[in-house]
Amino acid sequence: MTSTELAATVATSTSNSAGTPAPAIPYQKDIARYWDHEARPVNLRLGDVDGLYHHHYGIGDVDHAALGDADDSAYEKKLIAELHRLESAQAEVLLDHLGPIERGDMLVDAGCGRGGSMVMAHQRFGCNVQGVTLSAKQADFANQRARELSIDNHVHARVCNMLGMPFETGQAAASWNNESSMYVDLHDLFAEHSRILAFGGRYVTITGCWNPRYGQPSKWVSQINAHFECNIHSRREYLRAMADNRLVPQAVIDLTHATLPYWKLRATSSLVTGIEEAFINSYQDGSFQYLLIAADRI
Ligand SMILES: C[S@@+](CC[C@H](N)C(=O)[O-])C[C@H]1O[C@@H](n2cnc3c(N)ncnc32)[C@H](O)[C@@H]1O
Ligand SMILES: CC(C)=CCC/C(C)=C/COP(=O)(O)OP(=O)(O)O
Ligand SMILES: [Mg+2]
């Protein structure tokens, strides 16, 4: 089944397979609505390349040899495959920082989207991966993909607020936010990760954050917030909220330079959404950073 067929299936369903309560506060209802209605070709067509559907951005150098000649009729297809390769490479780097994971472990993807990272985590570690999203459409989509891959006994998405997850205290070996922490208060978020993580467990986030060295959120950062209805935090807020919640950074990696090739390539594609300029300019003027933070739960 292609993503378009899959999207049509979930769009017509009146209930979802996730079966958990609706979002609590008005803002979360807006975010649930946003993601329930999201169907941008830049996400669906990239996901169709190999069935891993992401809502995050890419890192790494562009493989110009793989792209070939821009005049070639197959160029656009190759460009889409290349953007998708860079997005999956981003998820691989996040998974690299989870530390040693056993088959019997449970991982939590907070703000799991359509579940691409969950599938990759299960395929790499063989373990149980639980995701939460505010969007019933996304949870249904992720669960349907898991069924199609016959991994639904190990990979499951719920409709649930990541600030109150239905997991036992200390149950998770590792947890992460992949571009989903700009929708919540960071103290509330890290308190909840800290609760569900086992002592010594690993938390990883990849996020866009505004740079305190710039001073305040730039106009480009404000544009990104308005575009996605999110609230980008500063690097300082991340580190402070982690420190206050027993999450001790083990690695802080600036991926800003690594993500720029993705954006520059995407800006040349037919799938542009109009937000490319804000990302490129804010990364280049130093007001915005693409960061990975891996922290130990102590
Ligand atoms: C940009 S998408 C990222 C999806 C996924 N992490 C990925 O890499 O493909 C943001 C996700 O955060 C989720 N989200 C935002 N606020 C949330 C909340 N309070 N609780 C649970 N999920 C939330 C949205 O539903 C959406 O799935
Ligand atoms: C780094 C920051 C600030 C991210 C904000 C969260 C977000 C919307 C991520 C990408 O989602 P997407 O894949 O649905 O977006 P797009 O349609 O632009 O590819
Ligand atoms: Mg995308």
Side-chain angles (χ1 to χ4, degrees), residues 23-34:
I25 60 174
Y27 172 73
Q28 289 169 355
K29 287 182 187 161
D30 283 345
I31 298 307
R33 201 176 301 122
Y34 177 96

Side-chain angles (χ1 to χ4, degrees), residues 35 40 42-43 55-57 179 182-183 208 228 266 288:
W35 289 107
R40 289 185 284 275
V42 73
N43 297 315
H55 287 284
H56 60 247
Y57 301 121
E179 297 190 19
M182 56 288 291
Y183 295 94
F228 291 115
R266 176 166 151 158
F288 191 46

Side-chain angles (χ1 to χ4, degrees), residues 49-96:
V49 169
D50 62 2
L52 292 170
Y53 292 86
H54 301 307
H55 287 284
H56 60 247
Y57 301 121
I59 55 171
D61 292 334
V62 172
D63 182 348
H64 290 284
L67 278 178
D69 190 341
D71 296 331
D72 186 341
S73 60
Y75 180 80
E76 188 66 14
K77 195 173 169 208
K78 290 181 188 169
L79 194 156
I80 286 168
E82 183 62 5
L83 289 173
H84 182 65
R85 184 183 70 79
L86 298 176
E87 291 189 1
S88 289
Q90 186 264 30
E92 296 288 5
V93 168
L94 188 155
L95 299 180
D96 287 346

Side-chain angles (χ1 to χ4, degrees), residues 174-185:
S175 62
W176 69 84
N177 285 97
N178 198 350
E179 297 190 19
S180 55
S181 51
M182 56 288 291
Y183 295 94
V184 288
D185 176 277

Side-chain angles (χ1 to χ4, degrees), residues 205-226:
T205 184
I206 295 184
T207 189
C209 56
W210 64 264
N211 189 351
R213 289 186 65 179
Y214 184 83
Q216 286 289 325
S218 66
K219 64 180 175 182
W220 305 117
V221 171
S222 299
Q223 196 176 316
I224 296 168
N225 277 335

Side-chain angles (χ1 to χ4, degrees), residues 220-298:
W220 305 117
V221 171
S222 299
Q223 196 176 316
I224 296 168
N225 277 335
H227 186 84
F228 291 115
E229 302 179 34
C230 66
N231 295 288
I232 291 164
H233 305 286
S234 69
R235 175 160 45 105
R236 180 178 181 221
E237 286 175 80
Y238 278 93
L239 298 175
R240 176 174 287 179
M242 282 186 188
D244 287 347
N245 287 286
R246 307 192 67 86
L247 294 171
V248 177
Q250 170 73 13
V252 180
I253 303 174
D254 186 348
L255 297 171
T256 307
H257 289 292
T259 195
L260 268 165
Y262 165 89
W263 283 105
K264 288 180 177 171
L265 182 65
R266 176 166 151 158
T268 69
S269 85
S270 64
L271 302 178
V272 288
T273 62
I275 201 61
E276 290 76 14
E277 183 193 28
F279 276 91
I280 292 169
N281 288 342
S282 60
Y283 285 142
Q284 288 186 335
D285 72 13
S287 62
F288 191 46
Q289 287 180 296
Y290 199 48
L291 219 63
L292 179 149
I293 309 174
D296 289 330
R297 164 67 166 97
I298 55 99

Side-chain angles (χ1 to χ4, degrees), residues 8 24 31 43 69 89 93 100 102 123 125 129 131 160 162 171 174 186 188 203 226 236 246 255:
I31 298 307
N43 297 315
D69 190 341
V93 168
E102 307 289 332
Q123 288 174 341
F125 302 115
V129 190
C160 178
M162 64 172 99
Q171 194 183 353
L186 291 183
D188 294 346
Y203 170 76
R236 180 178 181 221
R246 307 192 67 86
L255 297 171

